[in-house]
Amino acid sequence: FRFGKVIRLWRLLALERFVPAFHDVLQVIISRGYQVLQVSYVLLCFWFWMSTFNWYFLHSEFQVKSEERSFAFWYSNYWFSMQFSLIHMSGDYPMTEYPVKVRVMHIFSLFSAWAFVTMPAAMLAAAFHDALEKRRLVQAKRRKEAMCKIIRLVRKILLRRRFRQVVGTAIERHRQGYTKAGLARQKYPGLARLLAMLNSGEEYLFVLGLCTVMHVSFAMLRSIPQLQPEAMLWDMLMLPMVMFFVLNFIGRFVTAFMNPKY
């Protein structure tokens, strides 16, 4: 009786016949396994570096508290530091009352750590996409070979007719959009120059990106309890950037009618 059960378990060896996804997983491991290990190593190095930084500056911090306990309690050993550092690297901050010297480092980590966290997932997603694309190509080839010549001929005729209709409709809509936009640009040359600057001006886009980063940084620094008395100063520093964003929105709203993308 027991021997019969063992014989029945041998059917698991033929599981690939019924679940082809196991073959895709094997192909991913063979094709991208080394690359996944490389990006995981980069993530591990950054994780250890961040954990060491947090533990060094917080394991003896008894003055600043969070959740009614000092940071010396939360970061009492290196393993706790690794846990909280990995949570912060993913973008989640269950504790925010960090000292200034640590918070400044977390600002830079907030803009870069998520990239290290998502690299292994992105690599696996790309590998599965390639594996599934190969399977789709093989299946399409088999279906193409299985169809008879008459069915393929009829299908080609129908697809060509449908494709011509879709392409004709798309070209007509595209032509109408660009015709309206071109006439509007000729009628309002000043707004046309403003549209070109807002969408393709390198200096303007650089200033816009710089103002965005500075505004986010000032807003984060303003939330520090030690800097709360200077809240009016931070508001005055952020006021020109807010006005710049308002003018940018107004310019894009005014020139939207001559932008073919809209």
Side-chain angles (χ1 to χ4, degrees):
F1 181 71
R2 294 180 179 178
F3 181 75
K5 290 184 177 180
V6 174
I7 295 298
R8 292 174 62 186
L9 289 176
W10 285 359
R11 296 188 61 184
L12 294 176
L13 298 178
L15 194 60
E16 171 63 21
R17 293 179 52 190
F18 310 102
V19 187
F22 284 101
H23 179 72
D24 295 335
V25 175
L26 183 61
Q27 290 296 324
V28 168
I29 295 175
I30 295 175
S31 61
R32 298 292 184 93
Y34 184 70
Q35 295 179 355
V36 172
L37 289 177
Q38 286 180 322
V39 297
S40 300
Y41 175 75
V42 175
L43 171 62
L44 187 64
C45 292
F46 189 85
W47 181 22
F48 276 107
W49 180 80
M50 194 68 183
S51 302
T52 304
F53 179 87
N54 290 330
W55 179 82
Y56 179 78
F57 284 102
L58 295 174
H59 78 282
S60 60
E61 183 62 61
F62 294 93
Q63 297 180 357
V64 184
K65 295 183 178 181
S66 178
E67 302 292 337
E68 299 181 355
R69 293 181 181 273
S70 65
F71 278 98
F73 172 80
W74 298 114
Y75 288 86
S76 58
N77 60 65
Y78 193 79
W79 305 112
F80 289 169
S81 177
M82 293 180 64
Q83 176 185 355
F84 289 119
S85 299
L86 186 60
I87 294 174
H88 294 336
M89 287 171 60
S90 65
D92 190 11
Y93 273 80
M95 297 182 297
T96 57
E97 299 83 358
Y98 281 97
V100 178
K101 55 188 176 182
V102 178
R103 190 172 297 191
V104 172
M105 189 61 202
H106 283 190
I107 292 175
F108 295 101
S109 174
L110 187 63
F111 288 100
S112 58
W114 62 269
F116 294 98
V117 176
T118 55
M119 278 195 299
M123 187 65 65
L124 288 175
F128 276 107
H129 176 270
D130 295 342
L132 294 176
E133 185 67 21
K134 292 180 180 179
R135 178 191 289 184
R136 284 192 290 267
L137 292 175
V138 172
Q139 292 177 352
K141 184 178 179 180
R142 291 177 179 176
R143 287 195 300 267
K144 185 177 180 180
E145 294 175 352
M147 288 190 304
C148 64
K149 295 182 179 180
I150 298 177
I151 296 178
R152 273 186 284 173
L153 180 61
V154 173
R155 188 174 181 180
K156 284 182 179 180
I157 295 174
L158 296 176
L159 289 176
R160 286 179 181 177
R161 182 175 300 177
R162 187 180 302 174
F163 179 74
R164 289 174 182 173
Q165 294 176 354
V166 173
V167 171
T169 304
I171 292 176
E172 185 63 26
R173 292 179 180 177
H174 188 72
R175 184 183 303 165
Q176 292 178 359
Y178 270 94
T179 301
K180 294 179 180 179
L183 293 175
R185 292 181 184 181
Q186 293 178 2
K187 187 176 180 180
Y188 305 101
L191 292 179
R193 289 192 295 270
L194 177 61
L195 176 65
M197 184 189 70
L198 291 176
N199 291 276
S200 59
E202 295 182 359
E203 296 82 1
Y204 178 80
L205 295 178
F206 173 77
V207 173
L208 179 61
L210 181 63
C211 289
T212 303
V213 174
M214 292 178 62
H215 186 270
V216 174
S217 301
F218 287 161
M220 296 177 68
L221 291 174
R222 187 182 183 279
S223 64
I224 300 176
Q226 292 84 347
L227 302 179
Q228 285 295 331
E230 290 79 10
M232 182 62 68
L233 176 60
W234 294 111
D235 292 338
M236 294 299 295
L237 290 175
M238 290 188 291
L239 180 60
M241 303 173 193
V242 174
M243 296 300 298
F244 179 76
F245 295 148
V246 171
L247 293 176
N248 175 72
F249 176 78
I250 294 175
R252 294 182 182 274
F253 179 78
V254 171
T255 59
F257 70 96
M258 63 175 58
N259 192 338
K261 295 181 180 179
Y262 300 147

